[in-house]
Every structure is written in C-alpha cells, then in structure tokens.
Amino acid sequence: MTADPDCVFCKIIAGDIPSFTVFEDDQVFAFMDINPVNPGHSLVIPKHHSANVFETPDQWVAATMIGIRRLARAVEKTLSPHGINVLQANGPGAAQSVFHFHMHVIPRGVDDGLTMNWGLNPGDMEAIGKLCEAIKGNLD
C-alpha cells in the first residue's frame, strides 16, 4: 500500500483527519462525504494512493468496486432512495477535486434537482462508428 503525506484521503485513512467511517478492510476505506449533495452521500477509497483511474493498479480498482457495491447496498437498505448514482471523476474537466482515486455513492430522488443526468440526443452514427474503431485501437 502506498500513501502520499500531502493527500487528504491518505490522511483520513491514517486517522490524521477524522471521518465518519462506514467500514474499512485491508484494501478500502468507506466514509461519509462531509459536503453531501444528498443525505447518504458517501465515498470508497482504496488504501493505495494513486491520482486517478488511469494510474490505479487493477487490483485496487477491483477492490474499490467491491467496496462500492457493499456501500451502495447498505445505503439502499437504509434510505430506500429512488436511485443511486455511482460516480467517479478523473481530472479537472470532470471536476475531480481530490487527486486520490475514489468513488462516490449518491442516493437520488426523482426530483432532487441534481444535474448529473443528461438527455438523450441521437448522435452521428458514422462518427460514433469511427470513434469506436479508434478507441478499440488503443485498448491495452
């Protein structure tokens, strides 16, 4: 496991910054967001410091996803929301605010006013097909 002494999430894992811990195990740490967009907004972070999904080793991404499912099930059972968003952001264009790979569980209401959903606007099928082939060419 790696840590960054300047990372707020690494400090939370270490206990240097207090948190409302939901659960933790050898690989992940789950806690409540103290700036929640809705009640029950919580996060799962791996106990391995890396800035984003691109830099995070597969085993830590997998452990985080297992933790997300565990947390989402508990939030669902506790709050019975209309839905739950599982959100992960990478880089400033996606509004990533803490550069330690993490995922959010956000309980949702039908009319909660959040704008994380987008409408369905048909795309250019030819352009989508060409982009699909370009992306396939860059798979690892």
Side-chain angles (χ1 to χ4, degrees), residues 10-99:
C10 289
K11 290 176 182 179
I12 289 171
I13 292 168
D16 297 335
I17 295 175
S19 68
F20 293 98
T21 305
V22 180
F23 70 86
E24 74 173 300
D25 61 27
D26 291 342
Q27 297 181 303
V28 298
F29 192 93
F31 60 103
M32 303 302 291
D33 195 308
I34 61 168
N35 299 298
V37 296
N38 276 337
H41 180 175
S42 43
L43 297 95
V44 174
I45 57 178
K47 290 184 174 180
H48 170 87
H49 179 81
S50 50
N52 52 47
V53 72
F54 308 116
E55 296 176 13
T56 305
D58 290 348
Q59 73 184 65
W60 296 101
V61 173
T64 304
M65 285 303 301
I66 291 167
I68 278 292
R69 183 177 60 189
R70 182 177 181 204
L71 179 59
R73 285 177 170 163
V75 168
E76 170 73 23
K77 189 173 182 178
T78 304
L79 298 172
S80 299
H82 292 116
I84 291 179
N85 280 120
V86 174
L87 176 69
Q88 198 279 315
N90 298 284
Q96 183 180 5
S97 59
V98 177
F99 291 88

